[in-house]
Amino acid sequence: MIGVSLLPFSWSPANALAAPVIPHPNELVQAVQEIESLDAMRSGLASSLEGSTEVPTMQTMKEVCRPVGMRAIQLSQENSWQVKQIAKKYRNPDHAPGNLHDQIALAKFNQEPDLIGFWDRETLNQQTGTRYYRRINVEASCLACHGLKDHRPQFVKDGYPQDLAYNFQVGDLRGMYAVFIPDDIQKAIQNAVN
């Protein structure tokens, strides 16, 4: 069982009084559960590369990496959340940190290697809400495409000329999932429909 800290600070009676109110605590619980499932999916799919002597191809990426991104999109659509993968050393420019909160969260994970996840209150696109961050660590199977720069598969070199997602080692911080849960879920649903 993975322990997840939902509080970005230590608990004490004084902090309990100062803790921000979360309008939809059940949404946060659901987000944590969904992201844990998403990360287990990522890890399980990536483990299919372990022990393989074949060089990964674009088809490998479609079978191993793409389903994780597709599930993140599906979670966003099903729940009116914004689910993203974010990394400082990204391959896909869409995964670059988009704001100061993203940069601070990545720095926090970098400084605290045992921290699995935390939440914060934020305003995103003029909407207030709760943002849940969950770390993504590099596993041995990730090194097939994210190891030494010179050993990246050719399809990565060709398809991602601005690639920054290499020279990782097992246990490094690969990036994070970021889930934004708007306070006004109904409004978010209406905006998504329109």
Side-chain angles (χ1 to χ4, degrees):
M1 182 85 183
I2 296 175
V4 178
S5 169
L6 294 180
L7 300 177
F9 51 84
S10 300
W11 188 89
S12 72
N15 286 343
L17 296 174
V21 174
I22 300 174
H24 304 284
N26 290 339
E27 290 279 324
L28 182 56
V29 170
Q30 182 183 352
V32 170
Q33 291 170 339
E34 293 290 359
I35 294 304
E36 287 306 312
S37 293
L38 182 64
D39 194 61
M41 169 196 249
R42 177 196 62 81
S43 186
L45 289 170
S47 72
S48 68
L49 300 175
E50 286 180 33
S52 176
T53 56
E54 294 181 29
V55 176
T57 63
M58 180 60 86
Q59 185 62 32
T60 308
M61 189 172 100
K62 288 179 182 178
E63 293 171 3
V64 175
C65 301
R66 190 164 190 255
V68 177
M70 297 306 294
R71 180 64 182 140
I73 292 168
Q74 185 181 20
L75 286 171
S76 294
Q77 293 169 344
E78 290 174 354
N79 299 288
S80 299
W81 303 336
Q82 181 194 81
V83 181
K84 294 183 74 174
Q85 295 177 67
I86 301 171
K88 186 175 179 181
K89 290 174 61 174
Y90 54 86
R91 178 159 288 156
N92 180 340
D94 291 341
H95 296 171
N99 58 44
L100 183 60
H101 290 284
D102 294 347
Q103 294 171 12
I104 291 170
L106 285 167
K108 184 174 181 70
F109 281 127
N110 225 9
Q111 292 166 356
E112 301 179 40
D114 294 331
L115 180 64
I116 301 296
F118 66 96
W119 61 266
D120 199 3
R121 295 287 297 153
E122 293 180 18
T123 299
L124 193 61
N125 300 326
Q126 292 138 4
Q127 248 186 331
T128 58
T130 304
R131 198 134 186 233
Y132 173 63
Y133 295 102
R134 203 282 190 193
R135 85 180 302 116
I136 303 171
N137 282 337
V138 174
E139 299 174 18
S141 55
C142 302
L143 298 180
C145 293
H146 295 284
L148 296 175
K149 181 179 182 178
D150 295 339
H151 290 96
R152 292 174 299 153
Q154 193 60 45
F155 83 93
V156 171
K157 294 175 187 175
D158 295 342
Y160 300 93
Q162 303 301 315
D163 181 27
L164 302 175
Y166 52 80
N167 288 342
F168 285 103
Q169 295 181 3
V170 173
D172 285 351
L173 176 65
R174 170 69 188 92
M176 65 185 178
Y177 304 104
V179 182
F180 181 74
I181 305 166
D183 289 347
D184 191 344
I185 297 285
Q186 294 303 337
K187 183 177 177 185
I189 292 171
Q190 282 180 331
N191 289 344
V193 170
N194 296 333

